[in-house]
Amino acid sequence: MLTIEALSWRYPGSTRPALDHVSLELARGSILGLLGPNGAGKSTLVAHLAGLLPLTTGAIRINDIPLAQSRRLDPTRIAIAPQELAFYPQLTVDENLACFAAASRLGSRRAREAGARCAAIVGLQAHGRTRAAKLSGGFRRRLNLAIALLAEPDLLVLDEPTVGVDTESRMLLIETIRSLARAGAAVVYASHYLEEVEALADSVAVLHQGRVLRTGTLETLLTGEPERLVVALASPAPQDLIDRLGSFGVVSREGSRLTIELAHESSPIAALSAIERYGSAIRNARFGRSRLEEVLAQLTRDPTCSQH
């Protein structure tokens, strides 16, 4: 549904490109998690999808139609929920929805129906007469998303949609986004909250200094990462124990916590048994592959390890 090919952009006066030959694809009904540290290029990419920056190098197509042409044919096919709240604080929730529905060129009847539908989707039905400036942070984010959904877009681009929201609003927003994808929308989800991306995304793109370091499903991204056994001991491990555990893999120590990157076919149970036989008391243990947070940190710390 969305194709980005070799997209590059350099801001005037900058010594390096904000985007450097970025290529991505996204199908209908899929959610792409867009990850990377501040300055990675995520906001610049979102700005291109929103039509706020001109295409100078590369291409963006919607269903094989160039972005500019697609916007002319159907200006509401793409919707953006920006990180900065985009509504009129002096207007009520209902007035904001009516205003943006009119801006989306919805007829009066369809505008009313869309406003009611989107308010219901994000749980704002009881706040229709509340001025947006009086809403809590979580409800402001809900309104931001409701406005983006008014014209039932095919492509929804969300830039940090849950910043500063309460737990209830975060859970509602996440479930709403899941439902939109199940209904056939394509979603680009740019966020620093990696647990949300892990819960939502079908695929992930990691950006760093304007380049795509790695793309693929979460499973693909985490494949090949070493299995780790993390053990919290009652007291710091002596060097003699570290040496004994070296037969199981690479051992690192931080205070009373041991981390063992297990060698091929090494057993975590055997490693735990070795610790117990030595006489060290185990408080708790965790076993598994690296989490997304650890992989992202490694990629952006050492971009040479990226694999497209």
Side-chain angles (χ1 to χ4, degrees), residues 195-224:
E195 67 276 11
E196 294 179 7
V197 174
E198 287 185 282
L200 278 171
D202 304 295
S203 59
V204 172
V206 179
L207 271 68
H208 182 61
Q209 296 183 354
R211 295 186 296 114
V212 176
L213 295 186
R214 195 177 295 184
T215 61
T217 65
L218 279 171
E219 182 179 357
T220 300
L221 195 65
L222 298 176
T223 295

PDB file of all heavy atoms in Angstrom, residues 195-224:
ATOM      1  N   GLU A 195       7.879  -1.116  24.276  1.00  0.00           N
ATOM      2  CA  GLU A 195       6.921  -2.156  24.646  1.00  0.00           C
ATOM      3  C   GLU A 195       5.635  -2.032  23.835  1.00  0.00           C
ATOM      4  O   GLU A 195       4.991  -3.032  23.525  1.00  0.00           O
ATOM      5  CB  GLU A 195       6.617  -2.106  26.152  1.00  0.00           C
ATOM      6  CG  GLU A 195       5.873  -0.888  26.635  1.00  0.00           C
ATOM      7  CD  GLU A 195       6.767   0.320  26.912  1.00  0.00           C
ATOM      8  OE1 GLU A 195       7.962   0.281  26.539  1.00  0.00           O
ATOM      9  OE2 GLU A 195       6.265   1.303  27.490  1.00  0.00           O
ATOM     10  N   GLU A 196       5.269  -0.803  23.448  1.00  0.00           N
ATOM     11  CA  GLU A 196       4.093  -0.612  22.598  1.00  0.00           C
ATOM     12  C   GLU A 196       4.357  -1.160  21.196  1.00  0.00           C
ATOM     13  O   GLU A 196       3.497  -1.807  20.595  1.00  0.00           O
ATOM     14  CB  GLU A 196       3.716   0.865  22.526  1.00  0.00           C
ATOM     15  CG  GLU A 196       3.244   1.444  23.854  1.00  0.00           C
ATOM     16  CD  GLU A 196       2.902   2.917  23.730  1.00  0.00           C
ATOM     17  OE1 GLU A 196       2.916   3.442  22.594  1.00  0.00           O
ATOM     18  OE2 GLU A 196       2.633   3.546  24.769  1.00  0.00           O
ATOM     19  N   VAL A 197       5.542  -0.874  20.671  1.00  0.00           N
ATOM     20  CA  VAL A 197       5.889  -1.366  19.342  1.00  0.00           C
ATOM     21  C   VAL A 197       5.915  -2.895  19.339  1.00  0.00           C
ATOM     22  O   VAL A 197       5.421  -3.542  18.407  1.00  0.00           O
ATOM     23  CB  VAL A 197       7.248  -0.792  18.891  1.00  0.00           C
ATOM     24  CG1 VAL A 197       7.681  -1.409  17.570  1.00  0.00           C
ATOM     25  CG2 VAL A 197       7.158   0.722  18.763  1.00  0.00           C
ATOM     26  N   GLU A 198       6.477  -3.490  20.397  1.00  0.00           N
ATOM     27  CA  GLU A 198       6.499  -4.950  20.487  1.00  0.00           C
ATOM     28  C   GLU A 198       5.088  -5.522  20.514  1.00  0.00           C
ATOM     29  O   GLU A 198       4.829  -6.592  19.960  1.00  0.00           O
ATOM     30  CB  GLU A 198       7.260  -5.382  21.739  1.00  0.00           C
ATOM     31  CG  GLU A 198       8.765  -5.189  21.633  1.00  0.00           C
ATOM     32  CD  GLU A 198       9.496  -5.730  22.841  1.00  0.00           C
ATOM     33  OE1 GLU A 198       9.483  -5.049  23.884  1.00  0.00           O
ATOM     34  OE2 GLU A 198      10.074  -6.832  22.740  1.00  0.00           O
ATOM     35  N   ALA A 199       4.169  -4.810  21.173  1.00  0.00           N
ATOM     36  CA  ALA A 199       2.792  -5.296  21.289  1.00  0.00           C
ATOM     37  C   ALA A 199       1.990  -5.091  20.009  1.00  0.00           C
ATOM     38  O   ALA A 199       1.069  -5.863  19.726  1.00  0.00           O
ATOM     39  CB  ALA A 199       2.091  -4.588  22.453  1.00  0.00           C
ATOM     40  N   LEU A 200       2.346  -4.084  19.215  1.00  0.00           N
ATOM     41  CA  LEU A 200       1.506  -3.684  18.081  1.00  0.00           C
ATOM     42  C   LEU A 200       2.042  -4.089  16.713  1.00  0.00           C
ATOM     43  O   LEU A 200       1.289  -4.522  15.842  1.00  0.00           O
ATOM     44  CB  LEU A 200       1.333  -2.163  18.078  1.00  0.00           C
ATOM     45  CG  LEU A 200       0.282  -1.553  18.976  1.00  0.00           C
ATOM     46  CD1 LEU A 200       0.431  -0.026  18.993  1.00  0.00           C
ATOM     47  CD2 LEU A 200      -1.113  -1.928  18.495  1.00  0.00           C
ATOM     48  N   ALA A 201       3.339  -3.904  16.503  1.00  0.00           N
ATOM     49  CA  ALA A 201       3.872  -3.878  15.144  1.00  0.00           C
ATOM     50  C   ALA A 201       3.987  -5.262  14.509  1.00  0.00           C
ATOM     51  O   ALA A 201       4.380  -6.223  15.160  1.00  0.00           O
ATOM     52  CB  ALA A 201       5.231  -3.188  15.125  1.00  0.00           C
ATOM     53  N   ASP A 202       3.638  -5.344  13.224  1.00  0.00           N
ATOM     54  CA  ASP A 202       3.914  -6.540  12.419  1.00  0.00           C
ATOM     55  C   ASP A 202       5.347  -6.524  11.917  1.00  0.00           C
ATOM     56  O   ASP A 202       5.962  -7.573  11.726  1.00  0.00           O
ATOM     57  CB  ASP A 202       2.967  -6.596  11.213  1.00  0.00           C
ATOM     58  CG  ASP A 202       1.514  -6.557  11.633  1.00  0.00           C
ATOM     59  OD1 ASP A 202       1.067  -7.509  12.283  1.00  0.00           O
ATOM     60  OD2 ASP A 202       0.837  -5.564  11.326  1.00  0.00           O
ATOM     61  N   SER A 203       5.869  -5.319  11.671  1.00  0.00           N
ATOM     62  CA  SER A 203       7.242  -5.169  11.212  1.00  0.00           C
ATOM     63  C   SER A 203       7.835  -3.922  11.846  1.00  0.00           C
ATOM     64  O   SER A 203       7.109  -3.057  12.361  1.00  0.00           O
ATOM     65  CB  SER A 203       7.318  -5.075   9.681  1.00  0.00           C
ATOM     66  OG  SER A 203       6.551  -3.976   9.213  1.00  0.00           O
ATOM     67  N   VAL A 204       9.166  -3.830  11.792  1.00  0.00           N
ATOM     68  CA  VAL A 204       9.887  -2.739  12.449  1.00  0.00           C
ATOM     69  C   VAL A 204      10.941  -2.201  11.499  1.00  0.00           C
ATOM     70  O   VAL A 204      11.560  -2.961  10.742  1.00  0.00           O
ATOM     71  CB  VAL A 204      10.558  -3.236  13.749  1.00  0.00           C
ATOM     72  CG1 VAL A 204      11.467  -2.171  14.337  1.00  0.00           C
ATOM     73  CG2 VAL A 204       9.508  -3.646  14.773  1.00  0.00           C
ATOM     74  N   ALA A 205      11.128  -0.876  11.523  1.00  0.00           N
ATOM     75  CA  ALA A 205      12.249  -0.249  10.822  1.00  0.00           C
ATOM     76  C   ALA A 205      13.033   0.567  11.838  1.00  0.00           C
ATOM     77  O   ALA A 205      12.459   1.394  12.549  1.00  0.00           O
ATOM     78  CB  ALA A 205      11.746   0.652   9.695  1.00  0.00           C
ATOM     79  N   VAL A 206      14.340   0.307  11.920  1.00  0.00           N
ATOM     80  CA  VAL A 206      15.210   1.019  12.852  1.00  0.00           C
ATOM     81  C   VAL A 206      15.984   2.066  12.064  1.00  0.00           C
ATOM     82  O   VAL A 206      16.742   1.735  11.146  1.00  0.00           O
ATOM     83  CB  VAL A 206      16.182   0.065  13.560  1.00  0.00           C
ATOM     84  CG1 VAL A 206      17.090   0.842  14.514  1.00  0.00           C
ATOM     85  CG2 VAL A 206      15.403  -1.011  14.321  1.00  0.00           C
ATOM     86  N   LEU A 207      15.795   3.352  12.420  1.00  0.00           N
ATOM     87  CA  LEU A 207      16.500   4.454  11.776  1.00  0.00           C
ATOM     88  C   LEU A 207      17.581   4.998  12.695  1.00  0.00           C
ATOM     89  O   LEU A 207      17.402   5.043  13.925  1.00  0.00           O
ATOM     90  CB  LEU A 207      15.536   5.591  11.424  1.00  0.00           C
ATOM     91  CG  LEU A 207      14.850   5.542  10.049  1.00  0.00           C
ATOM     92  CD1 LEU A 207      13.876   4.378   9.986  1.00  0.00           C
ATOM     93  CD2 LEU A 207      14.116   6.855   9.778  1.00  0.00           C
ATOM     94  N   HIS A 208      18.689   5.406  12.088  1.00  0.00           N
ATOM     95  CA  HIS A 208      19.766   6.035  12.847  1.00  0.00           C
ATOM     96  C   HIS A 208      20.527   6.951  11.913  1.00  0.00           C
ATOM     97  O   HIS A 208      20.984   6.530  10.843  1.00  0.00           O
ATOM     98  CB  HIS A 208      20.705   4.978  13.427  1.00  0.00           C
ATOM     99  CG  HIS A 208      21.809   5.540  14.269  1.00  0.00           C
ATOM    100  ND1 HIS A 208      21.575   6.261  15.422  1.00  0.00           N
ATOM    101  CD2 HIS A 208      23.162   5.486  14.130  1.00  0.00           C
ATOM    102  CE1 HIS A 208      22.723   6.621  15.957  1.00  0.00           C
ATOM    103  NE2 HIS A 208      23.703   6.167  15.195  1.00  0.00           N
ATOM    104  N   GLN A 209      20.612   8.225  12.289  1.00  0.00           N
ATOM    105  CA  GLN A 209      21.304   9.231  11.478  1.00  0.00           C
ATOM    106  C   GLN A 209      20.814   9.221  10.037  1.00  0.00           C
ATOM    107  O   GLN A 209      21.592   9.315   9.090  1.00  0.00           O
ATOM    108  CB  GLN A 209      22.818   9.019  11.547  1.00  0.00           C
ATOM    109  CG  GLN A 209      23.366   9.222  12.953  1.00  0.00           C
ATOM    110  CD  GLN A 209      24.877   9.079  13.035  1.00  0.00           C
ATOM    111  OE1 GLN A 209      25.530   8.708  12.056  1.00  0.00           O
ATOM    112  NE2 GLN A 209      25.440   9.374  14.190  1.00  0.00           N
ATOM    113  N   GLY A 210      19.499   9.081   9.885  1.00  0.00           N
ATOM    114  CA  GLY A 210      18.883   9.183   8.570  1.00  0.00           C
ATOM    115  C   GLY A 210      18.881   7.927   7.740  1.00  0.00           C
ATOM    116  O   GLY A 210      18.308   7.897   6.647  1.00  0.00           O
ATOM    117  N   ARG A 211      19.519   6.859   8.221  1.00  0.00           N
ATOM    118  CA  ARG A 211      19.596   5.625   7.453  1.00  0.00           C
ATOM    119  C   ARG A 211      18.775   4.526   8.118  1.00  0.00           C
ATOM    120  O   ARG A 211      18.611   4.495   9.331  1.00  0.00           O
ATOM    121  CB  ARG A 211      21.050   5.148   7.329  1.00  0.00           C
ATOM    122  CG  ARG A 211      21.949   6.075   6.530  1.00  0.00           C
ATOM    123  CD  ARG A 211      23.317   5.457   6.325  1.00  0.00           C
ATOM    124  NE  ARG A 211      24.019   5.259   7.584  1.00  0.00           N
ATOM    125  CZ  ARG A 211      24.332   4.074   8.089  1.00  0.00           C
ATOM    126  NH1 ARG A 211      23.979   2.951   7.450  1.00  0.00           N
ATOM    127  NH2 ARG A 211      24.981   3.974   9.235  1.00  0.00           N
ATOM    128  N   VAL A 212      18.266   3.610   7.299  1.00  0.00           N
ATOM    129  CA  VAL A 212      17.593   2.429   7.819  1.00  0.00           C
ATOM    130  C   VAL A 212      18.662   1.398   8.172  1.00  0.00           C
ATOM    131  O   VAL A 212      19.369   0.896   7.300  1.00  0.00           O
ATOM    132  CB  VAL A 212      16.605   1.838   6.788  1.00  0.00           C
ATOM    133  CG1 VAL A 212      15.987   0.559   7.332  1.00  0.00           C
ATOM    134  CG2 VAL A 212      15.507   2.846   6.461  1.00  0.00           C
ATOM    135  N   LEU A 213      18.776   1.104   9.466  1.00  0.00           N
ATOM    136  CA  LEU A 213      19.765   0.108   9.895  1.00  0.00           C
ATOM    137  C   LEU A 213      19.257  -1.304   9.683  1.00  0.00           C
ATOM    138  O   LEU A 213      20.013  -2.197   9.322  1.00  0.00           O
ATOM    139  CB  LEU A 213      20.112   0.309  11.372  1.00  0.00           C
ATOM    140  CG  LEU A 213      20.811   1.608  11.761  1.00  0.00           C
ATOM    141  CD1 LEU A 213      21.201   1.563  13.224  1.00  0.00           C
ATOM    142  CD2 LEU A 213      22.044   1.847  10.898  1.00  0.00           C
ATOM    143  N   ARG A 214      17.968  -1.500   9.970  1.00  0.00           N
ATOM    144  CA  ARG A 214      17.418  -2.845   9.807  1.00  0.00           C
ATOM    145  C   ARG A 214      15.908  -2.766   9.680  1.00  0.00           C
ATOM    146  O   ARG A 214      15.261  -1.922  10.298  1.00  0.00           O
ATOM    147  CB  ARG A 214      17.793  -3.742  10.986  1.00  0.00           C
ATOM    148  CG  ARG A 214      17.563  -5.226  10.710  1.00  0.00           C
ATOM    149  CD  ARG A 214      18.002  -6.099  11.860  1.00  0.00           C
ATOM    150  NE  ARG A 214      19.443  -6.048  12.084  1.00  0.00           N
ATOM    151  CZ  ARG A 214      20.056  -6.789  12.994  1.00  0.00           C
ATOM    152  NH1 ARG A 214      19.370  -7.614  13.770  1.00  0.00           N
ATOM    153  NH2 ARG A 214      21.366  -6.706  13.144  1.00  0.00           N
ATOM    154  N   THR A 215      15.342  -3.642   8.870  1.00  0.00           N
ATOM    155  CA  THR A 215      13.889  -3.757   8.739  1.00  0.00           C
ATOM    156  C   THR A 215      13.508  -5.232   8.805  1.00  0.00           C
ATOM    157  O   THR A 215      14.324  -6.109   8.542  1.00  0.00           O
ATOM    158  CB  THR A 215      13.379  -3.175   7.405  1.00  0.00           C
ATOM    159  OG1 THR A 215      13.978  -3.899   6.329  1.00  0.00           O
ATOM    160  CG2 THR A 215      13.694  -1.703   7.276  1.00  0.00           C
ATOM    161  N   GLY A 216      12.259  -5.486   9.130  1.00  0.00           N
ATOM    162  CA  GLY A 216      11.756  -6.858   9.161  1.00  0.00           C
ATOM    163  C   GLY A 216      10.760  -7.045  10.283  1.00  0.00           C
ATOM    164  O   GLY A 216      10.440  -6.109  11.015  1.00  0.00           O
ATOM    165  N   THR A 217      10.257  -8.254  10.408  1.00  0.00           N
ATOM    166  CA  THR A 217       9.358  -8.565  11.506  1.00  0.00           C
ATOM    167  C   THR A 217      10.146  -8.554  12.812  1.00  0.00           C
ATOM    168  O   THR A 217      11.376  -8.653  12.817  1.00  0.00           O
ATOM    169  CB  THR A 217       8.702  -9.936  11.317  1.00  0.00           C
ATOM    170  OG1 THR A 217       9.737 -10.945  11.370  1.00  0.00           O
ATOM    171  CG2 THR A 217       7.979 -10.019   9.976  1.00  0.00           C
ATOM    172  N   LEU A 218       9.427  -8.455  13.925  1.00  0.00           N
ATOM    173  CA  LEU A 218      10.089  -8.511  15.222  1.00  0.00           C
ATOM    174  C   LEU A 218      10.851  -9.820  15.378  1.00  0.00           C
ATOM    175  O   LEU A 218      11.975  -9.854  15.895  1.00  0.00           O
ATOM    176  CB  LEU A 218       9.057  -8.367  16.343  1.00  0.00           C
ATOM    177  CG  LEU A 218       8.614  -6.943  16.659  1.00  0.00           C
ATOM    178  CD1 LEU A 218       7.444  -6.971  17.622  1.00  0.00           C
ATOM    179  CD2 LEU A 218       9.765  -6.133  17.232  1.00  0.00           C
ATOM    180  N   GLU A 219      10.236 -10.906  14.918  1.00  0.00           N
ATOM    181  CA  GLU A 219      10.882 -12.209  15.020  1.00  0.00           C
ATOM    182  C   GLU A 219      12.196 -12.213  14.254  1.00  0.00           C
ATOM    183  O   GLU A 219      13.216 -12.709  14.736  1.00  0.00           O
ATOM    184  CB  GLU A 219       9.952 -13.305  14.495  1.00  0.00           C
ATOM    185  CG  GLU A 219      10.524 -14.702  14.602  1.00  0.00           C
ATOM    186  CD  GLU A 219       9.557 -15.761  14.089  1.00  0.00           C
ATOM    187  OE1 GLU A 219       8.424 -15.414  13.716  1.00  0.00           O
ATOM    188  OE2 GLU A 219       9.957 -16.938  14.062  1.00  0.00           O
ATOM    189  N   THR A 220      12.171 -11.638  13.038  1.00  0.00           N
ATOM    190  CA  THR A 220      13.390 -11.578  12.231  1.00  0.00           C
ATOM    191  C   THR A 220      14.443 -10.703  12.897  1.00  0.00           C
ATOM    192  O   THR A 220      15.627 -11.027  12.912  1.00  0.00           O
ATOM    193  CB  THR A 220      13.069 -11.020  10.832  1.00  0.00           C
ATOM    194  OG1 THR A 220      12.125 -11.882  10.187  1.00  0.00           O
ATOM    195  CG2 THR A 220      14.319 -10.914   9.987  1.00  0.00           C
ATOM    196  N   LEU A 221      13.993  -9.589  13.473  1.00  0.00           N
ATOM    197  CA  LEU A 221      14.924  -8.656  14.099  1.00  0.00           C
ATOM    198  C   LEU A 221      15.637  -9.287  15.288  1.00  0.00           C
ATOM    199  O   LEU A 221      16.819  -9.037  15.532  1.00  0.00           O
ATOM    200  CB  LEU A 221      14.164  -7.408  14.562  1.00  0.00           C
ATOM    201  CG  LEU A 221      14.998  -6.179  14.925  1.00  0.00           C
ATOM    202  CD1 LEU A 221      15.721  -5.644  13.703  1.00  0.00           C
ATOM    203  CD2 LEU A 221      14.123  -5.099  15.533  1.00  0.00           C
ATOM    204  N   LEU A 222      14.920 -10.137  16.014  1.00  0.00           N
ATOM    205  CA  LEU A 222      15.483 -10.741  17.214  1.00  0.00           C
ATOM    206  C   LEU A 222      16.184 -12.065  16.950  1.00  0.00           C
ATOM    207  O   LEU A 222      16.895 -12.584  17.813  1.00  0.00           O
ATOM    208  CB  LEU A 222      14.387 -10.946  18.262  1.00  0.00           C
ATOM    209  CG  LEU A 222      13.709  -9.660  18.758  1.00  0.00           C
ATOM    210  CD1 LEU A 222      12.584  -9.994  19.717  1.00  0.00           C
ATOM    211  CD2 LEU A 222      14.714  -8.733  19.422  1.00  0.00           C
ATOM    212  N   THR A 223      15.972 -12.635  15.739  1.00  0.00           N
ATOM    213  CA  THR A 223      16.630 -13.901  15.407  1.00  0.00           C
ATOM    214  C   THR A 223      18.145 -13.719  15.361  1.00  0.00           C
ATOM    215  O   THR A 223      18.652 -12.738  14.835  1.00  0.00           O
ATOM    216  CB  THR A 223      16.136 -14.422  14.043  1.00  0.00           C
ATOM    217  OG1 THR A 223      14.757 -14.732  14.149  1.00  0.00           O
ATOM    218  CG2 THR A 223      16.900 -15.659  13.623  1.00  0.00           C
ATOM    219  N   GLY A 224      18.846 -14.675  15.909  1.00  0.00           N
ATOM    220  CA  GLY A 224      20.296 -14.590  15.928  1.00  0.00           C
ATOM    221  C   GLY A 224      20.853 -13.937  17.172  1.00  0.00           C
ATOM    222  O   GLY A 224      22.061 -13.984  17.413  1.00  0.00           O
TER     223      GLY A 224
END
